[in-house]
Amino acid sequence: MASLSLKNLNKIYDNNVQAVFDFNIDINDGELIVLVGPSGCGKSTTLRMVAGLEDISSGTLIIDGKDVTKMPPKDRDIAMVFQNYALYAHMTVYENMAFSLTLLHENPNVIHEKVMAAAEILGLTDQLNKKPKQLSGGQRQRVAMGRAIVRTPKVFLFDEPLSNLDAKLRGATRREILLLHKRLGATMLYVTHDQTEALTLADRIVCMSMGYVQQIGTPLELYDTPANVFVASFIGLPPMNFFDATVCGGKLLLDGGASVSLSDEEAKLLSSYDGKMITLGVRPENITIGDDVKVKVNNCENLGQTTLVHGTMNGHKITAKLREWCNYKHGEEITVSFNRKHFFDKETTNAIR
């Protein structure tokens, strides 16, 4: 396997539309990096630049210490797993997995050994004589992964590989990819718009928006200490609640009239914003029944051990994720407290730290 460095990568198309701006990251040997963000944020374009499927407008791409910026895809020693499987319908599973090695005129015995080893890892040994149309979506994606494994590339690239699968298969295949990464110790770059995949798979996450990197960090860092309002709103399910608030000494005055008390530490952090408006962020799971603000319930979603309570606070929408089964009625009023707060500069949208 290999390390991977993307230095000041930019992508500008012929119509002068820029898709990626100054992308920088150093990926360690054996690390699994997930690029996450909404559609059109530049994550797939970045992956395709690494693969050589898109030209790099400017910047440098280094794989295993070697500058491959201008190299064709076949010389980069990477393997890519696509969203749509890209399997040959007329070939068996065995033939699909062996195809790239056959093109390289690899020794048939070596090909057989590598295909059987990959099939064993992916649980495909009893499917090798079947055609793709005889397989489920999850099995087809495993064949696509097996085709990548047999090549023993320096870097594995995954372009939204689970988006065509149903929820149950996505969960199962996600676990298989995680086990595969641990077993192979492979360097992987993985693209998804699904934050659950990002949080569960990644050693580090790159969160992107509008072609720019918003934050790079571990899943916990992005969840617990988001760099700005975008990251805070994109990472976490249900998404974070946001409110306009004015700092007033030891409390926040929320738009609409409610007030929230601040701890001494929080008041000190916000001392330079006294009298100014900021953005208050509160994750639904950090809201509990308490005595800070009143919420008028709209509806409840019972999820077993938790309940999502949707309501309004002084006319503003709010969602709380309570760790109990609740049956609040529409229009009922409850009082809640914010156990953990996030603060963001109103102008820059960056976190206040």
Side-chain angles (χ1 to χ4, degrees):
M1 300 307 158
S3 60
L4 182 65
S5 291
L6 287 68
K7 298 184 182 297
N8 308 115
L9 256 60
N10 291 276
K11 179 59 183 179
I12 306 172
Y13 288 103
D14 292 338
N15 57 2
N16 288 324
V17 171
Q18 187 157 354
V20 177
F21 297 80
D22 200 32
F23 191 106
N24 285 276
I25 190 173
D26 291 319
I27 301 172
N28 299 319
D29 187 1
E31 199 171 14
L32 198 165
I33 300 293
V34 176
L35 307 185
V36 69
S39 297
C41 72
K43 57 187 185 295
S44 288
T45 301
T46 301
L47 190 79
R48 290 172 65 83
M49 283 194 288
V50 174
L53 301 178
E54 293 278 3
D55 292 333
I56 296 171
S57 301
S58 65
T60 306
L61 174 64
I62 298 173
I63 297 178
D64 201 18
K66 186 176 182 180
D67 187 343
V68 300
T69 309
K70 302 297 183 182
M71 283 188 179
K74 65 183 181 64
D75 296 330
R76 297 189 182 191
D77 201 6
I78 55 94
M80 191 162 180
V81 179
F82 295 92
Q83 175 182 345
N84 61 356
Y85 320 134
L87 301 178
Y88 294 105
H90 65 287
M91 293 183 181
T92 64
V93 168
Y94 184 100
E95 290 167 339
N96 267 283
M97 291 173 66
F99 185 67
S100 61
L101 298 181
T102 303
L103 285 181
L104 295 173
H105 304 292
E106 184 69 81
N107 184 296
N109 291 331
V110 173
I111 293 176
H112 182 74
E113 183 179 322
K114 289 184 175 182
V115 169
M116 296 308 295
E120 177 67 27
I121 291 171
L122 296 167
L124 292 170
T125 51
D126 58 345
Q127 309 292 326
L128 292 175
N129 292 321
K130 293 183 179 180
K131 300 286 180 66
K133 66 180 180 180
Q134 298 174 278
L135 305 177
S136 67
Q139 289 172 324
R140 292 179 195 177
Q141 195 55 276
R142 275 187 277 159
V143 175
M145 288 191 286
R147 186 175 52 194
I149 291 171
V150 299
R151 291 186 51 202
T152 58
K154 289 181 177 177
V155 179
F156 286 86
L157 306 177
F158 292 85
D159 189 10
E160 306 221 31
L162 309 185
S163 59
N164 286 337
L165 305 181
D166 62 40
K168 185 176 181 179
L169 271 177
R170 272 202 308 272
T173 309
R174 187 172 67 236
R175 289 188 291 273
E176 288 174 359
I177 291 174
L178 193 57
L179 290 171
L180 179 65
H181 174 248
K182 290 180 178 178
R183 184 163 181 176
L184 298 179
T187 305
M188 294 182 174
L189 191 58
Y190 187 108
V191 161
T192 182
H193 64 274
D194 187 330
Q195 57 151 308
T196 300
E197 286 179 40
L199 290 169
T200 54
L201 285 174
D203 292 319
R204 284 188 295 157
I205 295 172
V206 181
C207 188
M208 298 183 68
S209 175
M210 302 295 288
Y212 290 93
V213 173
Q214 301 296 314
Q215 187 173 0
I216 299 175
T218 65
L220 181 59
E221 286 171 343
L222 269 70
Y223 173 82
D224 214 32
T225 55
N228 54 41
V229 168
F230 174 80
V231 177
S233 63
F234 193 82
I235 300 296
L237 196 65
M240 185 180 286
N241 299 285
F242 295 100
F243 311 101
D244 288 335
T246 301
V247 181
C248 186
K251 61 183 178 181
L252 292 175
L253 301 180
L254 304 186
D255 184 27
S259 66
V260 177
S261 59
L262 297 171
S263 67
D264 291 342
E265 184 178 347
E266 290 170 338
K268 183 179 179 181
L269 176 66
L270 296 175
S271 59
S272 64
Y273 286 84
D274 198 41
K276 297 179 181 178
M277 185 175 285
I278 65 167
T279 299
L280 167 66
V282 185
R283 293 202 180 279
E285 53 269 34
N286 293 144
I287 299 175
T288 57
I289 298 299
D291 54 9
D292 279 341
V293 294
K294 295 185 183 299
V295 172
K296 182 177 286 188
V297 176
N298 289 332
N299 66 289
C300 293
E301 292 182 77
N302 295 113
L303 304 175
Q305 293 182 326
T306 61
T307 301
L308 296 182
V309 180
H310 304 284
T312 56
M313 182 184 69
N314 298 309
H316 299 286
K317 291 182 180 180
I318 183 172
T319 298
K321 186 177 183 179
L322 305 180
R323 297 181 180 179
E324 54 198 21
W325 186 282
C326 305
N327 285 308
Y328 297 118
K329 301 290 189 296
H330 174 76
E332 186 174 349
E333 193 172 77
I334 61 175
T335 307
V336 301
S337 292
F338 300 155
N339 292 342
R340 170 79 193 279
K341 309 176 194 74
H342 299 265
F343 310 111
F344 304 92
D345 186 285
K346 188 68 178 172
E347 294 183 4
T348 67
T349 76
N350 291 332
I352 300 171
R353 293 174 183 165

